[in-house]
Amino acid sequence: VPNDNWFVFYSQVHSPDGSVVFHQEDPKRQDREVIQVSLDKLSPQIQKVTFVLTIHEALTRKLNFSMVQDAYVRILDGGTGQELVSYRLEDAYANVISMTIGELYLHKGQWKFNPVGNGVRQDLAGQCAIYGVELC
């Protein structure tokens, strides 16, 4: 992460260059949350975009991924709306409260998506620290 301004989430809904925008719930959309990435606007210094899913206040509210149903990731073509990649998070772990779900990365001039599914018992601040971001 170049600096904390590049961390996009529900309290900071877009990147400095406007290439990444977080959209929260909209009853008109099928997906509950959408992260829109415009590759043509993305700063050339960015080689990877990591997608992390956390459960808000999981430690305080005693929540974990074993309680989450119907979580999935879809990559859509912004122009056509065609689904390019999709996978469902099927494994639910009682000790997991945040998860790196996937990475969009540049490889030999082509953008690719790698589903990760690496869960940890870290809240949002802990997950951010993994990527060098500090929450104030």
Side-chain angles (χ1 to χ4, degrees):
V1 179
N3 64 51
D4 293 354
N5 293 332
W6 285 89
F7 174 58
V8 177
F9 70 119
Y10 54 83
S11 290
Q12 184 167 292
V13 296
H14 57 80
S15 62
D17 62 0
S19 63
V20 180
V21 180
F22 175 71
H23 302 278
Q24 295 187 37
E25 288 190 47
D26 180 347
K28 297 177 209 141
R29 282 197 314 257
Q30 171 186 341
D31 302 312
R32 290 182 293 268
E33 295 177 344
V34 174
I35 300 171
Q36 180 179 352
V37 180
S38 301
L39 297 175
D40 58 334
K41 292 182 184 177
L42 200 57
S43 170
Q45 76 185 76
I46 304 300
Q47 302 287 304
K48 179 170 42 172
V49 178
T50 303
F51 299 92
V52 173
L53 182 61
T54 64
I55 300 174
H56 184 62
E57 297 178 344
L59 293 172
T60 305
R61 296 168 43 201
K62 297 181 173 47
L63 302 174
N64 60 65
F65 270 91
S66 72
M67 301 168 178
V68 175
Q69 296 178 16
D70 196 31
Y72 59 89
V73 176
R74 298 187 319 140
I75 306 293
L76 307 178
D77 181 298
T80 66
Q82 177 184 0
E83 187 174 278
L84 303 174
V85 175
S86 175
Y87 79 96
R88 183 168 306 284
L89 303 174
E90 295 180 359
D91 293 328
Y93 303 101
N95 63 335
V96 172
I97 62 173
S98 66
M99 182 180 296
T100 300
I101 55 175
E103 301 170 329
L104 187 61
Y105 65 98
L106 191 58
H107 177 74
K108 296 183 180 180
Q110 293 281 1
W111 285 97
K112 299 182 180 254
F113 184 77
N114 178 40
V116 176
N118 182 29
V120 294
R121 186 165 180 77
Q122 300 272 350
D123 61 5
L124 180 60
Q127 187 66 260
C128 289
I130 292 171
Y131 296 99
V133 174
E134 281 188 42
L135 289 181
C136 299

